[in-house]
Amino acid sequence: MNDTDKAIELIRNAKKMVVFTGAGVSTNCGVPDFRGPNGLYATVGKRFNLPYPEAVFDIDYFRQNPLPFFQLSKEMFGEKIQPTIFHKYIAQVEAEGRLSILVTQNIDMLHTIAGNKKQIECHGTYSHATCTRCGKHYQLADIEETMSKGEIPYCSCGGVIKPDIVFFGENLPMEFYDIMQDPPEADLVLAAGTSLTVYPAAGFPLLYCKKKIPSILINMQNTQYDSYFDYVIHEDIDEFTKKVMKKS
Ligand code: CNA
């Protein structure tokens, strides 16, 4: 059996799967990742006149100049953006009672749209937002029209409304630190579409690798942690998922 076949078998037989996802699981539906071959990091700095690419998600920079973030956000939404084969498969794993926990770094809400509930969006989500001046809470629907034009949404107090996503320089949600302390039980960890470079999130799947729980990484490119995983498959995530779902 080759590594792909072994990984497929492990995924099909898992009863308590931990899944950790990154931007690469959403590239096939048109949401660009950061560090992939067509990633935003190569272009975002120039397009939005940023001092460095990460500034678009840096809280200090956002406080001075929120516009680039909202210009970029415009591109992350749209009616055409729908869950992929992989998102749907992970929702199916949960429906079958085989998901221990899904932790996503993604802010695109596609796992939720696909039907996953047992998940931690460790870098937050666009689904709700908060005024940076008075703290008033908003739902996506309140600011969606303004964001879809790439404009800055303002609160009635005059403050900028910021979607509740985690910027560089901000804390992750408490529930993430809780699972880092006490990781849910698992018989398999599957990391997909992530360069495993953003900490502390990337440390989560590695906890299981260190405990010698069977582990799989599906990612188009090499990562600095490939050697931590039992099976590493450098392939498109949806092409791989099709093989998992194929009737054997
Ligand atoms: P990243 O650093 O951009 O890495 C993505 C990885 O996915 C790269 O190594 C690619 O090789 C790989 N990849 C791209 N397409 C595919 C594919 N079709 N199949 C398999 N692998 C693929 O992204 P990370 O998630 O690791 O970095 C964490 C950041 C990115 C988080 O803070 C996210 O919030 C942020 N981000 C999220 C989104 C989103 O929500 N969709 C988009 C862009 C950035």
Side-chain angles (χ1 to χ4, degrees):
M1 237 194 231
N2 64 27
D3 278 7
T4 299
D5 290 339
K6 283 181 197 154
I8 290 171
E9 188 176 49
L10 276 170
I11 291 170
R12 285 181 180 162
N13 293 334
K15 301 272 183 292
K16 286 182 207 139
M17 213 159 119
V18 163
V19 180
F20 179 77
T21 64
V25 304
S26 299
T27 52
N28 286 334
C29 49
V31 184
D33 62 4
F34 279 168
R35 299 174 190 83
N38 303 311
L40 290 168
Y41 272 10
T43 60
V44 86
K46 255 197 190 143
R47 279 168 62 211
F48 300 128
N49 201 17
L50 297 167
Y52 54 99
E54 285 90 345
V56 73
F57 286 119
D58 185 295
I59 193 62
D60 291 330
Y61 187 80
F62 180 86
R63 287 191 188 113
Q64 295 162 33
N65 181 13
L67 189 60
F69 167 75
F70 288 107
Q71 289 171 324
L72 182 65
S73 298
K74 179 184 165 190
E75 297 171 18
M76 296 191 84
F77 286 99
E79 279 163 22
K80 281 193 237 120
I81 295 172
Q82 293 295 326
T84 60
I85 295 167
F86 174 77
H87 289 109
K88 289 178 193 160
Y89 179 70
I90 298 304
Q92 182 189 317
V93 168
E94 180 172 339
E96 290 166 356
R98 301 194 296 118
L99 183 71
S100 176
I101 189 85
L102 163 66
V103 177
T104 186
Q105 300 169 95
N106 294 346
I107 50 182
D108 55 27
M109 302 177 294
L110 287 169
H111 285 298
T112 307
I113 296 168
N116 279 114
K117 293 192 175 62
K118 244 176 144 178
Q119 67 163 322
I120 295 179
E121 292 167 304
C122 70
H123 289 158
T125 168
Y126 275 99
S127 64
H128 38 85
T130 308
C131 171
T132 50
R133 186 181 292 172
C134 72
K136 184 174 171 186
H137 293 294
Y138 289 87
Q139 293 302 310
L140 173 60
D142 301 323
I143 59 169
E144 201 169 8
E145 203 186 320
T146 310
M147 284 211 316
S148 69
K149 292 186 231 153
E151 293 170 5
I152 303 171
Y154 288 100
C155 180
S156 49
C157 79
V160 173
I161 302 170
K162 174 184 162 292
D164 293 334
I165 67 172
V166 178
F167 278 45
F168 293 115
E170 292 189 304
N171 284 329
L172 276 63
M174 207 50 223
E175 54 186 355
F176 176 77
Y177 296 106
D178 290 345
I179 58 158
M180 283 298 283
Q181 282 295 319
D182 188 13
E185 232 187 294
D187 59 3
L188 176 67
V189 61
L190 169 66
T194 174
S195 61
L196 295 170
T197 48
V198 178
Y199 264 80
F204 178 66
L206 303 179
L207 288 177
Y208 292 92
C209 299
K210 287 174 195 157
K211 285 203 279 182
K212 307 281 179 226
I213 305 283
S215 55
I216 301 169
L217 171 66
I218 317 288
N219 199 58
M220 210 96 94
Q221 293 162 294
N222 292 332
T223 77
Q224 59 183 323
Y225 293 113
D226 281 11
S227 64
Y228 281 55
F229 288 82
D230 297 324
Y231 300 101
V232 179
I233 295 160
H234 294 301
E235 190 179 0
D236 177 273
I237 185 63
D238 290 318
E239 292 307 315
F240 175 80
T241 307
K242 281 184 205 162
K243 293 178 206 162
V244 176
M245 296 175 82
K246 203 168 153 193
K247 298 261 177 296
S248 46

